[in-house]
Amino acid sequence: MTQAPPTPQAYDPPLRHLRVLDLATLFAGPLAATMLGDFGAEVIKVEHPTKPDPSRGHGPSKDGVGLWWKLLGRNKRTLTLNLSTPGGRDTLLRLAATADVIIENFRPGTLEKWGLGWKELSAANPRLVLARVTGFGQFGPYAHRPGFGTLAEAMSGFAAITGEPDAPPVLPPFGLADSIAGLATAYAVMTALAARDRTGEGQTVDMAIIEPILTVLGPQPLWYDQLGHVQPRTGNRSANNAPRNTYRTADGSWVAVSTSAQSIAERVMRLVGRPELIDEPWFGSGAERARHADVLDEAVGAWIARHTREEVIEVFEKAEAAVAPIQDVREVMTDPQYRALDTITTVDDPDLGPLRMQNVLFRLSATPGAIRWAGRAHGADTDAILAELGLSEPDIATLRQEGAL
């Protein structure tokens, strides 16, 4: 028998009154549900009986257990349900009547084909919020295309401005667009719930993964609209300030320097022994400094190359100049600031023992979030959830025999 999730210690998370059904797969939709679960929402992960969320098999595993799922599936109970069967459809409608939020990422029209569209779901629960997360949105010429975060990173302009000027466009080696869309979906859900508190009625959220990444890319559309300006690839440099780059230290490490503020730029030039550059007529504006990045990078890079990373950080910190080490995950795990914040925290897991993973996204002083458990086995809570819904053991056995579970 699968072990039940632990009973959370006494605490009063802000979303404990919410029930969320996570019907989505892979990253954007499930991450939104994870964010809600981290602050107390009861999240029920609904997966196909024979085709679980592919994130369970993404990336490295230990003893046959997918590690990515332990992060993405945390604070979720797990239920198997074949929504394309009559029994699965009816069971989901019963669940929907008890829920506040459903998050799904099927292609547009799929839920409707199963008789589980907004018409049926809202009839079962007029207060329901249905978040629909797709690559391209619910309408438009691309709506029925398969969509992934990689396509959003390409279409949005992110890849076009990422990389060195004379090199190909660069895609991120992780789910950037999916993650941004996941955070945006959690925000959208909370906004819809706030509206429900006022009106008493739920609504749908149409989240297209190609859109939130445009917001974080900044004013590029505005620049183009008003000036015809197309941002080029500039590598690690910025068109808005300099010096801004990564620099190699004497011991073979790397550091990043930023001078977004004029005062910081001046401190850096004094620190590296080139105060005369501050008096140049072009030094007084970030954009002008960026046009002289070769001169500034040479000055900063030459000084940093003569010092170890530890020396660089110590001197920059003393001068109140902005610097950070380029860290890989090994250093992230031991970084004293992350340790002080408990950014990487330890979670006890019945499958793998103590796990170290990212903590909840932010700290609330009065009603903090918490990781109550890591991702659970496929369908681990099916019988318990259905029993809570009022189904008897024979009812559950019948559903299982019909292939609905």
Side-chain angles (χ1 to χ4, degrees):
M1 177 173 287
T2 305
Q3 182 179 351
T7 302
Q9 296 178 346
Y11 81 119
D12 188 27
L15 304 183
R16 64 178 175 82
H17 60 291
L18 295 181
R19 170 174 267 197
V20 178
L21 306 183
D22 175 9
L23 277 56
T25 57
L26 292 174
F27 306 115
L31 179 60
T34 302
M35 298 295 105
L36 300 174
D38 283 351
F39 286 89
E42 180 198 3
V43 180
I44 298 175
K45 176 72 177 181
V46 180
E47 298 172 272
H48 190 280
T50 61
K51 301 172 186 175
D53 188 330
S55 67
R56 290 181 179 272
H58 264 56
S61 62
K62 181 180 179 182
D63 300 335
V65 178
L67 297 177
W68 203 330
W69 169 251
K70 286 296 180 182
L71 174 69
L72 192 62
R74 71 190 192 192
N75 292 334
K76 300 179 183 181
R77 303 169 77 195
T78 58
L79 165 75
T80 59
L81 209 56
N82 185 346
L83 303 181
S84 66
T85 65
R89 173 190 180 275
D90 293 344
T91 303
L92 185 74
L93 287 174
R94 291 183 65 166
L95 274 170
T98 72
D100 299 280
V101 179
I102 291 179
I103 301 174
E104 63 97 1
N105 72 334
F106 300 105
R107 286 200 214 180
T110 301
L111 282 184
E112 286 75 9
K113 179 179 66 176
W114 294 335
L116 289 169
W118 177 240
K119 176 182 175 182
E120 293 83 4
L121 291 171
S122 61
N125 183 355
R127 291 175 56 81
L128 186 70
V129 169
L130 174 63
R132 316 196 76 168
V133 185
T134 57
F136 305 104
Q138 294 295 310
F139 56 91
Y142 303 165
H144 290 276
R145 292 182 181 179
F148 298 98
T150 297
L151 307 187
E153 290 145 11
M155 284 182 59
S156 63
F158 171 85
I161 64 169
T162 304
E164 295 297 328
D166 56 351
V170 174
L171 294 166
F174 64 99
L176 176 64
D178 275 307
S179 299
I180 295 170
L183 296 173
T185 301
Y187 166 49
V189 164
M190 296 307 299
T191 303
L193 289 171
R196 186 189 72 174
D197 290 344
R198 190 174 67 252
T199 67
E201 296 182 355
Q203 60 183 299
T204 63
V205 171
D206 180 3
M207 178 61 68
I209 295 173
I210 60 172
E211 291 186 301
I213 190 170
L214 271 173
T215 296
V216 303
L217 283 172
Q220 290 186 60
L222 181 61
W223 287 341
Y224 180 75
D225 175 65
Q226 295 296 303
L227 302 172
H229 174 71
V230 178
Q231 183 172 333
R233 288 193 292 281
T234 58
N236 290 325
R237 288 179 172 177
S238 167
N240 302 311
N241 67 82
R244 190 264 198 183
N245 214 324
T246 59
Y247 306 93
R248 193 179 183 99
T249 62
D251 53 354
S253 297
W254 292 83
V255 296
V257 172
S258 176
T259 57
S260 296
Q262 178 70 22
S263 60
I264 299 294
E266 293 176 7
R267 289 173 197 166
V268 169
M269 301 324 297
R270 293 190 185 98
L271 182 158
V272 300
R274 297 294 301 276
E276 75 280 2
L277 293 175
I278 299 172
D279 297 326
E280 293 288 344
W282 46 262
F283 196 87
S285 106
E288 284 298 315
R289 291 201 310 275
R291 294 187 181 96
H292 294 80
D294 286 342
V295 174
L296 296 173
D297 274 345
E298 191 282 327
V300 175
W303 185 91
I304 287 177
R306 298 194 298 271
H307 298 81
T308 66
R309 188 175 80 172
E310 184 178 351
E311 291 169 344
V312 171
I313 292 173
E314 181 181 354
V315 173
F316 267 70
E317 184 172 347
K318 187 177 296 184
E320 298 185 358
V323 69
I326 304 293
Q327 299 187 150
D328 64 20
V329 68
R330 293 169 294 187
E331 294 173 299
V332 169
M333 300 293 272
T334 59
D335 182 277
Q337 183 62 30
Y338 282 136
R339 278 188 168 179
L341 297 174
D342 196 28
T343 306
I344 306 295
T345 196
T346 300
V347 181
D348 288 325
D349 180 68
D351 298 322
L352 299 175
L355 302 175
R356 297 174 70 195
M357 65 173 66
Q358 298 95 317
N359 208 338
V360 300
L361 193 59
F362 47 86
R363 287 164 292 282
L364 297 181
S365 61
T367 55
I371 303 172
R372 291 162 284 163
W373 60 83
R376 290 172 56 69
H378 180 226
D381 305 294
T382 298
D383 287 18
I385 292 169
L386 297 182
E388 293 165 9
L389 202 58
L391 276 69
S392 66
E393 289 187 9
D395 293 334
I396 296 172
T398 299
L399 287 171
R400 191 163 273 123
Q401 187 176 7
E402 293 175 354
L405 303 182

